[in-house]
Amino acid sequence: MLELGVFILTLLLDSRLLISAETVITCDGFVQRLTCESGVIHVQSATCGRTSYQTCSTGRPQNEISNLQCSIDVPAVSKRCEGLQMCELNTQGLAPQDPCVGTYKYYTTNYICVPAKTSVTCHGGYSYLRCEKGKIQINTANYGRTDKTTCSEGRPSSELQNTNCFSPNALAPLSKSCNGMESCEAFATHTVFTDPCVGTYKYLAISYLCVQSAVRSSLVCEHANNTLACDDGTVIHVVSANYGRTDDSTCSAGRPASQVTKTNCYSSNTNNPSI
């Protein structure tokens, strides 16, 4: 029996909270660097391909730059950089596949800097989140490892090599327990979060906002439609989203008990920035 799904979006609608918008273009094979002097990275789009003759064309033969209908999305940029203050990516092999064999490509990433706080806690410790003004809204969360230096003191090299270690379920439970609270704590351990890379020494990295009246929520029952709108001069930024079920009363009218009893239902991909 299928569970009845509920889609919940939490929106940040105050344009003043978006510090800056940046576009970074990096030739294939070089290192792309995203950075926020204030706040954390939120990737709006990332592509690999070629749509211009001029970009990354110096020294390249004509046959490598003539195809301008070449583009593919690169979700790895968001996965690795979301919620960080600084992120460096080796673009070699970063795209999921080659969108145009024989064409010399480049990476184009558009991102904004969101004024979130950050918390990093080594395995076995507690993260303490607190807002002096407003309430906690979890922006990103990962229990794993994305670099070789964080929480590395005293650890053998073999435990630090895997920097592509991401937990599949860190965001949803943290959002459930911390969102709307003035303070919250989280235990950085695989007993709470799924162990995404056995043998690697992990840490819990969280970015969160302290929000007041600028946040709105939208709840839509499965198979229904809804329209998101902003006041003039503001823009939508999706802070968190879940397609699933977390209580037995929402969107339950007329539904059999078998479809509303499971209340620990979280989707794995609704916080993708493409939403």
Side-chain angles (χ1 to χ4, degrees):
M1 182 70 69
L2 293 175
E3 299 289 336
L4 178 67
V6 181
F7 191 34
I8 302 174
L9 285 172
T10 303
L11 311 174
L12 187 63
L13 299 178
D14 189 342
S15 62
R16 293 172 298 176
L17 295 180
L18 302 180
I19 298 174
S20 61
E22 304 286 345
T23 298
V24 176
I25 297 176
T26 307
C27 302
D28 189 22
F30 289 81
V31 173
Q32 183 166 90
R33 187 175 190 270
L34 314 182
T35 183
C36 287
E37 293 184 4
S38 180
V40 298
I41 296 165
H42 172 68
V43 178
Q44 295 181 303
S45 65
T47 60
C48 172
R50 174 167 290 278
T51 58
S52 164
Y53 282 118
Q54 289 77 28
T55 304
C56 293
S57 61
T58 303
R60 294 287 167 178
Q62 182 67 25
N63 66 302
E64 291 187 359
I65 60 174
S66 58
N67 182 1
L68 304 184
Q69 305 298 318
C70 172
S71 182
I72 189 173
D73 291 335
V74 187
V77 177
S78 175
K79 183 178 181 181
R80 298 188 187 185
C81 297
E82 194 78 11
L84 301 180
Q85 291 180 307
M86 192 275 287
C87 181
E88 291 187 342
L89 299 166
N90 184 346
T91 59
Q92 187 69 44
L94 190 62
Q97 64 188 59
D98 192 333
C100 45
V101 177
T103 294
Y104 185 65
K105 294 161 283 288
Y106 52 86
Y107 287 77
T108 303
T109 299
N110 297 294
Y111 70 99
I112 57 177
C113 295
V114 179
K117 296 184 177 182
T118 58
S119 170
V120 176
T121 306
C122 302
H123 170 76
Y126 283 88
S127 295
Y128 297 97
L129 314 182
R130 181 175 178 81
C131 288
E132 294 182 1
K133 294 182 179 180
K135 301 297 178 64
I136 294 170
Q137 187 72 41
I138 302 297
N139 182 45
T140 61
N142 182 53
Y143 174 69
R145 175 166 291 277
T146 59
D147 64 59
K148 296 181 181 180
T149 57
T150 303
C151 292
S152 60
E153 185 175 357
R155 312 307 305 189
S157 177
S158 60
E159 294 184 356
L160 309 174
Q161 297 306 307
N162 185 355
T163 58
N164 190 31
C165 176
F166 297 89
S167 56
N169 67 340
L171 182 62
L174 276 174
S175 297
K176 183 178 181 180
S177 60
C178 295
N179 283 355
M181 307 290 289
E182 293 182 354
S183 63
C184 181
E185 68 177 39
F187 188 27
T189 175
H190 61 269
T191 61
V192 176
F193 308 102
T194 301
D195 191 338
C197 47
V198 177
T200 294
Y201 188 67
K202 292 163 282 289
Y203 52 87
L204 179 62
I206 303 170
S207 69
Y208 66 100
L209 301 103
C210 294
V211 296
Q212 300 181 51
S213 59
V215 172
R216 304 177 189 177
S217 293
S218 174
L219 186 149
V220 187
C221 298
E222 190 172 27
H223 303 308
N225 297 317
N226 196 15
T227 300
L228 310 180
C230 291
D231 300 329
D232 290 343
T234 63
V235 297
I236 293 173
H237 168 58
V238 178
V239 176
S240 62
N242 181 56
Y243 173 65
R245 175 168 289 278
T246 59
D247 64 65
D248 60 6
S249 58
T250 304
C251 293
S252 60
R255 313 305 304 191
S258 59
Q259 291 186 352
V260 299
T261 53
K262 184 177 181 180
T263 58
N264 189 31
C265 177
Y266 296 92
S267 55
S268 61
N269 62 349
T270 42
N271 276 284
N272 187 291
S274 63
I275 294 175

